[in-house]
Amino acid sequence: MRVLVTGSAGFIGAAVAAELEAGGHEAVRVDVLLPQAHGPDADATDTHVLDVREAEAWVDLLHGVDAVCHQAALVGAGVRVGDLPGYAAHNDLGTAALLAAMHRAGVDRMVLASSMVVYGEGRYACARHGAQSPPPRSREDLDAGDFENRCPRCGIPLAWELVEEHARPDPRSAYAASKLAQEHYTSAWVRQAGAAAVALRYHNVYGPGMPRDTPYSGVAAMFRSALERSEPPRVFEDGGQMRDFVHVSDVARANVAALSSIVDAPSGSNVAYNVCSGTPVSILQVAELVARGTGTGPGSGHWPTVTGEYRLGDVRHVVASPELARRELGFRAVVGPEQGLAAFAHEPLRA
């Protein structure tokens, strides 16, 4: 396959392009090299430095391409109202412009990098009343250290369950809203252009090449940076927030599997898949695994500390079901969090 990879100089995009090339495919690399993501000295070797928002201007690059793997996006939570235009411009307009250029060039296959953030809170059940959709946690409860979602009917803490792809979207940040918009633009393109697409909803991605201490960093990188400063990683809430951490090498493999699946997919095919390890971990466990990977143990003075702090927009639990991707893409993660997060403590990061 000849695959155009947007965001190819980024953390995930670079891994996808390398995985494609290792499998004998050709990767056409495109990245705008945003300074906040790549720093001032980004390596543009073999990269077309172009903006997806202006894809109509470089539509000739799409000729002869079999599929597009769209990784380019402004990421991070987007916690300020002032962040909204940036997410709408890079993610929403960028995707719409790219899809229009693809149609003009006759390219009708797309793999889209989406995110678990489209779900908002995860899936919950009450032992007495069954499935529940809790409202956002109140500031008063969080101030009091009551971090769990509670049953709206009886008030007892809800148990988390695995989120499947048919769950109702509930984006709760600028970034989340933009990722869901990307999925919607892609869905409209599939119908109008007689195309085929796959949206991959990444969970918490980590691994070598992850950005260090930028708005693009994940919590695992932040924990590692604290340890490198000889500081204990600070774990918010009570550390019991459940997540799924998936290694970037597995994410790259999932993209190649998705690309292979759409080559012969029927027109109008449009499917979303969770991309996750399938092994839930708490945020406190993540901090402890990274700490152990550096040789830090309990009582060292650098062991993770639970602070009780919180961010108002954070969700409590969101953990995915990997079954649909296993069944339909043949994708199964091979790097588990115990192995991967400990190794991550020593892997190279980007500045």
Side-chain angles (χ1 to χ4, degrees):
M1 284 185 292
R2 187 167 190 257
V3 181
L4 187 142
V5 182
T6 70
S8 62
F11 168 44
I12 298 174
V16 171
E19 183 74 12
L20 281 165
E21 291 169 345
H25 305 290
E26 180 183 357
V28 180
R29 299 168 184 249
V30 173
D31 201 298
V32 73
L33 297 179
L34 285 175
Q36 61 264 46
H38 301 281
D41 303 315
D43 181 8
T45 305
D46 300 324
T47 301
H48 300 275
V49 182
L50 299 167
D51 193 327
V52 293
R53 294 172 295 179
E54 301 170 357
E56 287 283 359
W58 48 263
V59 68
D60 57 306
L61 202 61
L62 286 159
H63 291 294
V65 162
D66 298 301
V68 170
C69 188
H70 185 28
Q71 304 294 317
L74 194 66
V75 303
V79 296
R80 298 182 299 111
V81 173
D83 295 332
L84 287 166
Y87 284 95
H90 286 280
N91 299 1
D92 303 351
L93 175 59
T95 299
L98 177 62
L99 292 168
M102 288 171 62
H103 183 57
R104 183 175 157 197
V107 181
D108 62 358
R109 296 292 184 268
M110 159 84 90
V111 171
L112 170 69
S114 187
S115 172
M116 58 117 178
V117 296
V118 303
Y119 296 125
E121 283 282 2
R123 183 180 176 189
Y124 295 88
C126 173
R128 299 174 186 169
H129 300 109
Q132 298 293 323
S133 297
R137 297 175 295 170
S138 72
R139 186 185 295 274
E140 292 73 23
D141 286 343
L142 295 169
D143 284 339
D146 184 2
F147 300 116
E148 293 293 352
N149 284 303
R150 294 183 174 275
C151 177
R153 296 179 63 184
C154 67
I156 67 171
L158 296 171
W160 60 267
E161 296 185 337
L162 297 181
V163 180
E164 297 176 330
E165 287 83 351
H166 58 72
R168 180 179 64 87
D170 184 20
R172 297 189 178 188
S173 68
Y175 174 59
S178 73
K179 297 310 286 185
L180 186 58
Q182 286 184 298
E183 288 196 24
H184 286 167
Y185 278 115
T186 302
S187 179
W189 167 77
V190 164
R191 290 192 302 272
Q192 294 171 355
V198 166
L200 298 178
R201 292 173 177 166
Y202 303 156
H203 284 249
N204 297 270
V205 187
Y206 70 97
M210 194 174 191
R212 178 196 299 272
D213 298 334
T214 76
Y216 285 63
S217 296
V219 67
M222 294 177 181
F223 289 156
R224 170 177 156 160
S225 294
L227 290 160
E228 290 174 346
R229 296 191 301 268
S230 298
E231 299 172 1
R234 297 174 62 82
V235 179
F236 279 16
E237 301 189 15
D238 59 2
Q241 311 94 299
M242 297 301 296
R243 298 289 190 272
D244 189 299
F245 279 72
V246 59
H247 197 271
V248 68
S249 63
D250 283 324
V251 173
R253 290 176 48 249
N255 273 273
V256 175
L259 286 161
S260 298
S261 77
I262 62 170
V263 170
D264 298 316
S267 296
S269 173
N270 185 27
V271 189
Y273 296 101
N274 290 324
V275 176
C276 57
S277 73
T279 304
V281 290
S282 72
I283 294 298
L284 179 57
Q285 285 177 294
V286 172
E288 291 176 349
L289 286 166
V290 175
R292 290 187 189 281
T294 68
T296 300
S300 67
H302 304 148
W303 192 244
T305 180
V306 176
T307 69
E309 297 171 89
Y310 66 86
R311 295 187 303 184
L312 194 60
D314 282 355
V315 300
R316 179 60 175 172
H317 306 299
V318 55
V319 179
S321 169
E323 291 306 316
L324 189 64
R326 286 177 182 172
R327 188 167 63 247
E328 296 189 0
L329 294 181
F331 167 73
R332 182 188 297 267
V334 297
V335 182
E338 289 204 8
Q339 168 198 357
L341 286 165
F344 175 67
H346 303 286
E347 289 173 330
L349 302 183
R350 64 176 64 191

